[in-house]
Amino acid sequence: MKSIEQERQEHRPIRKTVNFVEALAIVVGVIIGSGIFLKPGIVLTHAGSPWMSLLAWVTGGIITLASALSVAEIASAIPKSGGLYTYLGELYGNTVGFLLGWVQTVISYPASVAALAIAFASYSGYFIPMNGFEQKLLAVAILAFILAMNVVSTKYGGVIQTLATVGKLIPIVGIIGFGLFTGSSPGFSGVHGAATGAGFGVAVLGTLWAYDGWIGVTNMAGEIKNPAKTLPKVISIGVIFVICVYVLVNLAIFQILPYDAIVSSKAPGADAAEALFGSGGGMFITVGIIVSVLGALNGYLMTAARVPQAMGEKGEIPFSAVFRKIHPKFQTPANALIFQGVLAVVYIFSGTFDTLTDLLIFVLWIFFTMGVFGVFLLRRNVSSPKGQYRVPLFPVTPLVGIVGGIYILGSTIISSPLQSLIGIGITLIGLPIYSYMKRK
């Protein structure tokens, strides 16, 4: 039998140990993965010209920023762990919140963690030749290390996030710092394709995937110091910073590489680094990608566990008492972290992570767009205290985010109708579970 003191220790709130810098590192570190190193050529191909490509990156950034500023007001008014799962439950009802938490807990987050672990192992193959099975073993090993650090202390996870974010910016700063002053600008010369409306739209869509991930920091609200003030600041500053970085990296690449070379390259960032720094440039940028992926992996795992932990607090999932439990010594949601890690290992060895994340893109953007629209419901139903953060240029700002979300939904269902329907089906599987837990 457990003593009353043990029960109290296991169920008391987690200590608020995440400071402003660590929260900002989560935002920047999760957004900047490998996309900025790999996407410029794809975006340029669809945009048709360097200037239209830059406009696509700015447009994607504006849509992301508008969404971020809108959700930041909700985060300020509802500073609770669980992020979007919690906000949707508060604004639309528990059923809607549960469905998002269900797909995030069982598929979305652990599959994304698995994909990042495999990406880490794949890029590590640049230095250590490995076969497919060996890559999976390395992926599990790095995942186990990140998991252990986050179980032992949220502070350790925050430190890893901060160091990885600083580390990933080193090659980016190198490309920007040296590339912008080469003076030749071959990427802006030559024959460019004519961008059609559809082509520009696809280009913007490509940038939006590269901007994804910033909302994960809201999952940590219960562990962030002064979340009502900190969350709006780190979300706004983080997204604006990433927009500037993405635009400057693309400008630098256009200064370094010819147009045709950018379009045909699978990794324009690596090619630009090699052109700048010689044969060591490929190694330089690969290290940067590895560190970048490591930061994203840590950020995703850290924020992922807070969803089942928050669902456990509300008793909405099976074994809620296990998931809501806080480790009495480490003061971390250890059980929720381990559960997400184990699911990620299953997805690593099954090789299903990419398929699963692709299936849920449509569904997740439905919930995300509802989250941005939620600021209208918040203002109608909740009176904000004086001095609380409010989204600037309301209602224009959230409308920009909503239009961007609707565009992604429309593009996804047109290009992948069957995949979108399967994603909806997977989501609705959670309804019988919710009904059972509600009755229980």
Side-chain angles (χ1 to χ4, degrees):
M1 292 289 290
K2 294 181 180 179
S3 67
I4 295 176
E5 176 61 21
Q6 284 177 314
E7 291 284 354
R8 188 182 68 81
Q9 290 282 340
E10 290 176 355
H11 295 91
R12 71 181 182 181
I14 307 175
R15 286 196 297 262
K16 294 181 180 292
T17 59
V18 180
N19 60 31
F20 177 88
V21 173
E22 290 164 346
L24 183 61
I26 292 172
V27 176
V28 175
V30 174
I31 296 177
I32 301 179
S34 58
I36 187 56
F37 300 104
L38 307 176
K39 283 284 187 182
I42 298 171
V43 174
L44 178 59
T45 299
H46 292 293
S49 73
W51 291 114
M52 291 300 290
S53 174
L54 291 172
L55 181 61
W57 283 99
V58 172
T59 302
I62 290 173
I63 293 173
T64 302
L65 181 60
S67 302
L69 293 172
S70 303
V71 174
E73 179 172 330
I74 302 175
S76 179
I78 311 173
K80 302 177 182 178
S81 289
L84 190 57
Y85 151 75
T86 299
Y87 308 153
L88 293 182
E90 296 268 352
L91 297 171
Y92 293 93
N94 289 335
T95 304
V96 176
F98 171 84
L99 289 176
L100 173 61
W102 154 255
V103 295
Q104 284 182 327
T105 297
V106 179
I107 299 177
S108 176
Y109 272 130
S112 296
V113 168
L116 287 164
I118 284 290
F120 177 92
S122 299
Y123 286 114
S124 298
Y126 183 93
F127 303 99
I128 309 170
M130 292 176 284
N131 59 34
F133 182 71
E134 290 168 339
Q135 284 188 351
K136 289 181 179 180
L137 290 179
L138 178 58
V140 172
I142 191 63
L143 172 57
F145 169 73
I146 296 297
L147 174 61
M149 291 298 98
N150 279 277
V151 167
V152 171
S153 173
T154 299
K155 198 69 180 175
Y156 289 166
V159 170
I160 292 173
Q161 192 64 39
T162 303
L163 293 176
T165 300
V166 173
K168 75 173 61 180
L169 291 176
I170 292 175
I172 291 175
V173 170
I175 292 174
I176 294 172
F178 288 93
L180 289 179
F181 302 103
T182 58
S184 54
S185 305
F188 288 100
S189 59
V191 179
H192 304 151
T196 63
F200 182 76
V202 175
V204 172
L205 197 60
T207 69
L208 286 170
W209 304 140
Y211 283 113
D212 190 34
W214 58 267
I215 200 169
V217 71
T218 61
N219 293 0
M220 306 283 296
E223 297 157 78
I224 294 175
K225 298 175 181 177
N226 196 5
K229 291 186 176 180
T230 300
L231 281 173
K233 288 180 182 178
V234 298
I235 291 172
S236 306
I237 294 171
V239 172
I240 292 171
F241 175 77
V242 172
I243 293 172
C244 294
V245 167
Y246 282 3
V247 171
L248 290 173
V249 167
N250 278 274
L251 272 173
I253 290 174
F254 295 144
Q255 290 285 103
I256 300 166
L257 299 176
Y259 178 88
D260 292 337
I262 300 171
V263 169
S264 61
S265 174
K266 292 183 178 180
D271 292 344
E274 190 164 341
L276 278 175
F277 308 117
S279 58
M283 183 183 299
F284 178 61
I285 205 68
T286 301
V287 171
I289 292 175
I290 290 172
V291 174
S292 185
V293 170
L294 180 67
L297 170 60
N298 181 76
Y300 263 94
L301 183 61
M302 179 189 291
T303 56
R306 274 62 189 181
V307 176
Q309 195 270 332
M311 295 181 79
E313 289 285 351
K314 294 175 69 174
E316 287 190 343
I317 53 175
F319 309 106
S320 288
V322 175
F323 288 121
R324 68 170 172 256
K325 189 179 295 182
I326 303 304
H327 195 283
K329 179 180 179 181
F330 302 137
Q331 286 298 292
T332 59
N335 292 342
L337 280 162
I338 292 170
F339 176 71
Q340 293 290 278
V342 170
L343 275 182
V345 170
V346 171
Y347 292 145
I348 286 172
F349 281 107
S350 66
T352 58
F353 44 86
D354 283 333
T355 302
L356 290 169
T357 51
D358 289 345
L359 286 174
L360 290 176
I361 285 173
F362 180 74
V363 170
L364 290 174
W365 272 92
I366 290 176
F367 289 123
F368 183 71
T369 306
M370 290 176 69
V372 178
F373 182 79
V375 73
F376 291 97
L377 301 180
L378 180 75
R379 292 205 176 189
R380 187 183 69 183
N381 299 325
V382 180
S383 57
S384 301
K386 187 177 181 180
Q388 182 177 296
Y389 168 83
R390 294 173 73 86
V391 58
L393 301 178
F394 183 89
V396 175
T397 300
L399 287 176
V400 170
I402 292 168
V403 169
I406 292 173
Y407 170 73
I408 292 178
L409 291 172
S411 300
T412 304
I413 200 167
I414 290 171
S415 61
S416 308
L418 179 61
Q419 183 174 292
S420 301
L421 289 174
I422 293 174
I424 292 174
I426 292 172
T427 305
L428 294 179
I429 289 173
L431 284 176
I433 297 173
Y434 176 76
S435 178
Y436 167 75
M437 293 304 298
K438 190 175 181 180
R439 289 197 306 271
K440 186 178 179 180

